[in-house]
Amino acid sequence: MDLNADVGQSFGSWTAGGDPAMFQLATSANVACGLHAGDPVTMLDSCRAAYELDVTVGAHIGYRDLAGYGLRSLDMSFDELFGDVLYQLGALDGIAHAVGASVDFVKPHGALYDALIHDAEQASAVVAAVNAYDPGLPILGSAGSELLKQAKEAGHPVFTEAFADRAYFADGTLVPLSREDAIVHDVDTIVERAVRLATQGEVVAIDGSVVTVQPDSLRIHGGTPGAVEAAVRVRAALEAAGVQLESFA
């Protein structure tokens, strides 16, 4: 099982997340590419840390929304989103290569992530941009999403992820971040859900039903108070359950 974490989300003098700890815990790092979060120095530091610790680097692409942290939905044209995705891929890939690393997968962030579950037009723009940049680049996303459906049709390796700290509907889709019940906060529950996802491929939805997920990767969260502690406990619990941790890419 892969453990992916969002990193590189600081900007200028503003610091976000517990990156030093997360690089020690994750097997894949979703590095912000400068549009929803991050800046060139932060991207450089993140790629260096990933390379030194043998953590796989992924491009964490998002909407052009620094003020909203990429959590606000944007109605973008095909060309606008196509260009923004290319911009982010090129920026991170150039920095990664400069320090000996490489960008080995793509994962959307925040509101873009949620949009790409159902929005076929935005999914087509993202897939077209990734395909134009690197036709063989793996894409990580939500099972059953338009993003992974179109990416697979375009010939990209696709991988699914699950969230121990996000709520699910009975159909296996994520509860939108705009809802108050979208996030699971209790650490014991997060740990239990992570182990169940990794060992049984299932999660309990908000209506109490059991949903089959079978992920290739689990997202561990490090950007809020107490999140790093939860991530430490998740990794320890997975190892105690005999789960072998390695990158999917």
Side-chain angles (χ1 to χ4, degrees):
M1 178 62 65
D2 173 67
L3 292 180
N4 77 81
D6 299 347
V7 298
Q9 299 185 109
S10 299
F11 183 81
S13 61
W14 181 71
T15 301
D19 284 5
M22 299 311 290
F23 277 113
Q24 299 285 340
L25 298 169
T27 52
S28 296
N30 315 312
V31 180
C33 302
L35 291 193
H36 78 271
D39 57 34
V41 173
T42 303
M43 293 159 68
L44 183 62
D45 290 342
S46 298
C47 289
R48 281 176 175 155
Y51 180 72
E52 291 170 359
L53 295 170
D54 197 26
V55 176
T56 301
V57 173
H60 202 200
I61 58 171
Y63 286 132
R64 186 185 294 270
D65 181 30
L66 275 177
Y69 204 46
L71 300 180
R72 300 181 295 187
S73 297
L74 296 182
D75 184 15
M76 303 183 71
S77 70
F78 182 98
D79 281 351
E80 286 174 325
L81 188 52
F82 180 88
D84 277 1
V85 171
L86 280 177
Y87 179 91
Q88 292 174 84
L89 290 174
L92 185 64
D93 195 37
I95 288 175
H97 276 89
V99 298
S102 60
V103 173
D104 292 326
F105 69 95
V106 178
K107 176 192 167 179
H109 163 82
L112 179 60
Y113 188 102
D114 285 350
L116 297 179
I117 293 175
H118 300 295
D119 193 320
E121 183 177 356
Q122 291 208 358
S124 68
V126 170
V127 171
V130 176
N131 193 60
Y133 191 82
D134 182 348
L137 197 58
I139 297 178
L140 177 65
S142 182
S145 63
E146 273 292 329
L147 173 66
L148 294 194
K149 173 187 173 183
Q150 294 190 31
K152 186 174 182 180
E153 290 172 351
H156 288 270
V158 297
F159 297 89
T160 62
E161 71 171 337
F163 298 75
D165 62 351
R166 288 280 303 270
Y168 283 81
F169 289 122
D171 65 356
T173 60
L174 291 167
V175 175
L177 290 169
S178 58
R179 289 181 41 153
E180 292 185 358
D181 57 352
I183 303 296
V184 178
H185 296 285
D186 181 72
V187 176
D188 289 338
T189 302
I190 292 170
V191 172
E192 184 275 329
R193 284 161 63 92
V195 172
R196 185 170 181 174
L197 280 163
T199 59
Q200 301 178 48
E202 59 186 31
V203 67
V204 177
I206 57 173
D207 66 351
S209 62
V210 177
V211 180
T212 299
V213 181
Q214 297 181 330
D216 300 299
S217 179
L218 292 179
R219 204 288 293 269
I220 51 176
H221 185 58
T224 57
V228 170
E229 176 192 354
V232 169
R233 288 188 53 191
V234 164
R235 173 149 185 157
L238 291 172
E239 291 176 333
V243 177
Q244 183 177 353
L245 301 176
E246 61 183 11
S247 175
F248 65 87

